[in-house]
């Protein structure tokens, strides 16, 4: 039973969809993955918004995390955000708060008085940031490099997808050698290796007697060596994840690789991958089974699996929590909120914070967030001892933790679960608050307290990465009932009203206005990402679920029935 519980916890963390039913968990992450990816192409809009810059290339360590963005308590961990633009204006109030705890399901009525037929013209989609991004452009690969990818893949038995993956990594890291600057973290060369990693994996592929990261053959063969050591071809997802410990990066590589794999056989054929993710189910020694809280053990298992620390990592994290706070019992509430139960300092939270339970927030006192953050620190240093020393620069501390872990160590069952490429561990894009205008404090309270359905939060996050959005109603600032007397989806936190896009009010109902463009984009999303309620002044999708109401000519209503 605990094994099933741990598997559910892992999937919940990976998909970042707490609160969504099992059917939605199975399909919604893939749909959001498609949403942010397919809508990422730059599209002409009435406001002539600028497409965001592509995320910076990663730096490969042994292995090492993606470039850290400073994080404070309450932040989310997500793919690198697009540059923020100036704040929009506008906002229309809607109804009165209602907190009746006994709602009855219902949806907005499809009354269509004053409705306008759907426009017949075809318009470009509303532009949202790409995640992952992929040009699928064959001309992007210099032909001279193709044989190198093929030879390197063959040399290290990377399988039929090997050349495509190497090409995708090379494209993302240095644009096929056109950007060979040393990164801020010190990564260098064609495939962006850290010097210490190059020392272990560097290859003299061209036989000139020098292992040179700035030589394309040496660097590409070294990358193939690293991927092989990290699990390719059996676990391609995990190998790429080791190259750069960020799921958005894996998604980017696989997206590009799939394109390159379709180049008439030049880089192999398209492929389907079934990567394996480790699942740990552990029991401490008999002495500690009742003394170690279950929620803490779950946190240690998830964090150790997530950052490849295995069984030893579980007990090391447990030992740190025991020594630092006796699993939270030995700290005051203020101390837990400041350092967390694993005793992390401010700079550690600042640089390495992880949303361990995928609830959308960083909470220092949360065992999941605290354990995942320390696990990431350990992982980033390339080993348990080095990571523990980074956490507390004292040799005696490292030995104390290792000795304590031996006292706690029990038995672990280790299994793996298949995780298809269509369901990557993509974290929903965080809300860019600079691009979001709320109409009143109740809406901020709804978002901060988790009262809003993760699908709505995800859409807001995706939209605000490169567009200014004004919300006129969420849950607490909307009446419980629709005008027809049914319970509105707003009451369940499953709906939002958008009153302006890129500073243009939705009262501008022309078919080329920003609100119309956004509405058509929402109407074209794949199921189940597409809102099942989509209402505007005119029908946005013809025969689809969207419909028109004359009383919605000042806002777009987007919601989900269940």
């Amino acid at each position: 039973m605990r094994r099933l519980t741990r598997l559910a916890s892992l999937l919940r963390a990976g998909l970042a969809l707490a609160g969504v039913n099992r059917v939605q968990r199975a399909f919604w992450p893939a749909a959001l993955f498609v949403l942010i990816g397919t809508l990422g192409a730059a599209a002409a809009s009435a406001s002539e918004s600028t497409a965001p810059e592509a995320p910076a290339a990663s730096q490969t360590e042994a292995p090492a995390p993606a470039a850290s963005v400073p994080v404070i308590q309450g932040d989310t961990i997500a793919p690198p955000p697009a540059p923020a633009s100036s704040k929009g204006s506008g906002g229309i109030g809607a109804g009165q708060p209602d907190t009746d705890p006994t709602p009855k399901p219902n949806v907005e009525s499809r009354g269509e008085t004053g409705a306008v037929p759907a426009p017949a013209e075809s318009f470009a989609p509303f532009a949202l940031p790409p995640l992952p991004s992929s040009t699928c452009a064959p001309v992007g690969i210099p032909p001279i490099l193709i044989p190198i990818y093929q030879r390197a893949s063959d040399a290290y038995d990377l399988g039929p997808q090997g050349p495509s993956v190497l090409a995708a990594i090379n494209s993302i890291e240095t644009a096929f050698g056109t950007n060979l600057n040393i990164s801020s973290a010190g990564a260098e060369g064609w495939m962006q290796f850290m010097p210490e990693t190059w020392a272990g994996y560097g290859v003299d592929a061209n036989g000139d007697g020098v292992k040179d990261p700035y030589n394309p053959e040496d660097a590409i063969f070294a990358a193939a060596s690293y991927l092989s050591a990290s699990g390719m071809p059996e676990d391609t997802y995990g190998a790429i994840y080791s190259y750069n410990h960020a799921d958005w990066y894996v998604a980017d590589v696989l997206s590009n690789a799939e394109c390159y794999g379709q180049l008439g056989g030049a880089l192999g054929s398209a492929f389907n991958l079934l990567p394996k993710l480790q699942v740990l189910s552990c029991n401490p020694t008999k002495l500690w089974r009742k003394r170690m809280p279950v929620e803490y053990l779950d946190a240690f298992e998830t964090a150790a699996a997530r950052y490849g620390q295995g069984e030893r990592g579980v007990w090391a994290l447990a030992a740190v929590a025991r020594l630092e706070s006796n699993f939270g019992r030995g700290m005051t509430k203020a101390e837990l909120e400041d350092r967390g139960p694993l005793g992390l300092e401010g700079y550690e939270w600042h640089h390495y914070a992880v949303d361990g339970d995928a609830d959308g927030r960083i909470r220092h006192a949360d065992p999941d967030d605290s354990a995942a953050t320390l696990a990431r620190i350990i992982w980033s240093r390339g080993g348990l001892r080095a990571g523990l020393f980074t956490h507390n620069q004292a040799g005696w501390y490292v030995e104390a933790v290792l000795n304590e872990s031996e006292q706690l160590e029990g038995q672990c069952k280790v299994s793996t679960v298949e995780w298809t490429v269509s369901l990557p561990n993509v974290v929903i894009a965080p809300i860019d608050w600079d691009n979001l205008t709320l109409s009143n404090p109740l809406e901020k309270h709804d978002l901060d307290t988790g009262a809003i359905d993760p699908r709505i939060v995800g859409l807001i996050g995706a939209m605000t990465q490169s567009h200014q959005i004004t919300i006129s109603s969420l849950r607490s600032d909307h009446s419980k009932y629709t005008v027809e007397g049914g319970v509105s989806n707003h009451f369940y936190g499953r709906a939002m009203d958008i009153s302006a896009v890129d500073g243009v009010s939705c009262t501008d109902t022309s078919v080329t206005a920003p609100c119309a463009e956004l509405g058509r984009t929402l109407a074209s999303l794949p199921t189940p990402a597409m809102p099942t309620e989509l209402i505007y002044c005119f029908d946005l999708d013809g025969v689809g679920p969207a419909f028109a109401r004359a009383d919605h000519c000042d806002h777009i209503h987007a919601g989900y029935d269940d």
Side-chain angles (χ1 to χ4, degrees), residues 133-138 141 164 167-168 252-265 267-271:
S133 61
S134 177
T135 61
C136 289
I141 304 177
S164 300
D252 250 357
V253 169
L254 292 176
S255 179
N256 280 281
E258 198 161 2
C259 293
Y260 299 151
Q262 297 168 354
L263 302 180
L267 286 178
S269 58
F271 53 91

Side-chain angles (χ1 to χ4, degrees), residues 373-393:
T373 299
L374 181 56
R376 182 185 177 196
I377 293 171
I378 293 171
W379 173 88
S380 73
R381 305 312 300 167
L384 183 58
R385 282 183 174 274
L388 292 172
F389 189 81
T390 299
H391 173 54
N392 186 326
Q393 291 83 30

Side-chain angles (χ1 to χ4, degrees), residues 45-49 87-92 126 437 467-471 498-510 512-518 536 553-556:
S45 66
S47 60
E48 297 182 353
S49 58
K87 200 168 186 176
S89 59
I92 302 172
F126 191 79
T437 299
H467 294 275
Q468 299 167 9
I469 302 296
T470 299
I471 301 292
I498 301 168
S499 60
V501 177
D502 289 330
V504 179
S505 171
C506 288
T507 55
D508 181 349
T509 58
S510 63
T512 58
C515 289
E517 289 186 357
L518 172 58
Y536 190 40
C553 288
D554 60 358
H555 70 276
I556 299 171

Side-chain angles (χ1 to χ4, degrees), residues 73-96:
Q73 190 161 194
D75 279 353
T76 58
I77 296 296
S85 56
S86 59
K87 200 168 186 176
S89 59
I92 302 172
Q96 298 296 323

Side-chain angles (χ1 to χ4, degrees), residues 144-471:
I144 195 172
L145 295 177
I146 293 176
I148 301 177
Y149 301 136
Q150 293 172 328
R151 293 198 305 270
S153 177
D154 291 344
Y156 292 95
D157 296 322
L158 299 185
Q161 73 269 35
S164 300
V165 170
L166 290 170
I169 292 174
N170 196 184
S171 172
I172 292 169
E173 296 292 350
T174 62
F176 302 113
T178 61
N179 179 9
L180 294 178
N181 293 328
I182 297 176
S183 76
S184 58
E188 58 186 9
W190 271 69
M191 303 297 276
Q192 289 291 282
F193 276 90
M194 294 296 289
E196 57 269 28
T197 311
W198 180 259
Y201 291 92
V203 174
D204 176 20
N206 63 357
D208 65 356
V210 178
K211 299 177 181 180
D212 183 5
Y214 289 93
N215 178 275
E217 285 189 83
D218 291 359
I220 292 168
F221 271 70
S225 173
Y226 187 92
L227 292 171
S228 175
S230 299
M232 274 190 76
E234 291 82 5
D235 184 9
T236 299
Y237 188 103
I240 300 170
Y241 193 76
S242 294
Y243 201 94
N244 181 348
H245 205 88
D247 296 286
W248 62 265
Y249 178 86
V250 179
D252 250 357
V253 169
L254 292 176
S255 179
N256 280 281
E258 198 161 2
C259 293
Y260 299 151
Q262 297 168 354
L263 302 180
L267 286 178
S269 58
F271 53 91
N272 293 314
L273 307 178
L274 291 175
K276 304 285 186 178
L277 298 181
Q278 191 177 67
V279 179
L280 297 169
S281 180
C282 303
N283 279 310
T285 56
K286 186 176 181 179
L287 177 65
W288 284 97
R289 285 178 188 171
K290 293 183 178 180
R291 298 166 65 183
M292 186 184 301
V294 173
E295 64 271 21
Y296 275 78
L297 180 57
D298 289 346
F300 305 147
E301 292 169 348
T302 300
R306 179 176 185 173
Y307 288 98
Q309 299 303 310
E311 299 177 45
R312 194 179 182 206
V314 173
W315 307 121
L317 293 172
V320 172
R322 223 288 297 168
L323 293 172
E324 295 283 357
S325 71
N326 192 20
F327 306 111
R329 303 183 188 103
M331 282 186 174
T332 66
K333 181 180 179 181
E335 288 173 330
L336 284 171
E337 291 177 349
D338 179 32
R339 301 176 63 211
L342 276 76
L344 296 163
E345 299 293 342
Y347 73 90
E348 294 177 294
W349 286 107
H350 183 74
H351 291 290
Y352 293 98
V354 176
D355 179 11
D357 55 2
D359 65 354
R361 291 172 177 81
I362 302 296
R363 294 186 176 93
H364 295 186
D366 188 330
D368 289 288
D369 294 356
S370 190
T373 299
L374 181 56
R376 182 185 177 196
I377 293 171
I378 293 171
W379 173 88
S380 73
R381 305 312 300 167
L384 183 58
R385 282 183 174 274
L388 292 172
F389 189 81
T390 299
H391 173 54
N392 186 326
Q393 291 83 30
W396 65 263
Y397 181 86
V398 175
E399 295 305 321
V401 170
L402 295 177
N403 290 335
E404 184 72 18
S405 67
E406 292 179 0
Q407 302 303 313
L408 299 171
E409 183 174 356
Q411 298 295 319
C412 289
K413 293 181 179 179
V414 182
S415 59
T416 57
V417 57
E418 288 187 350
W419 197 334
T420 63
V421 172
S422 61
L423 295 176
N425 184 16
V426 174
V427 180
I428 295 175
I431 295 173
D432 185 338
W433 297 101
D434 288 334
N435 282 341
L436 180 65
T437 299
L438 301 175
S439 299
N440 56 70
L442 291 174
E443 294 172 357
K444 185 65 162 61
H445 178 75
D446 285 346
L447 291 167
D448 287 344
T449 58
I452 303 304
D453 189 291
R455 293 167 293 182
I456 295 295
V457 176
L459 290 178
I460 295 174
M463 291 185 295
T464 57
Q465 294 308 295
S466 55
H467 294 275
Q468 299 167 9
I469 302 296
T470 299
I471 301 292

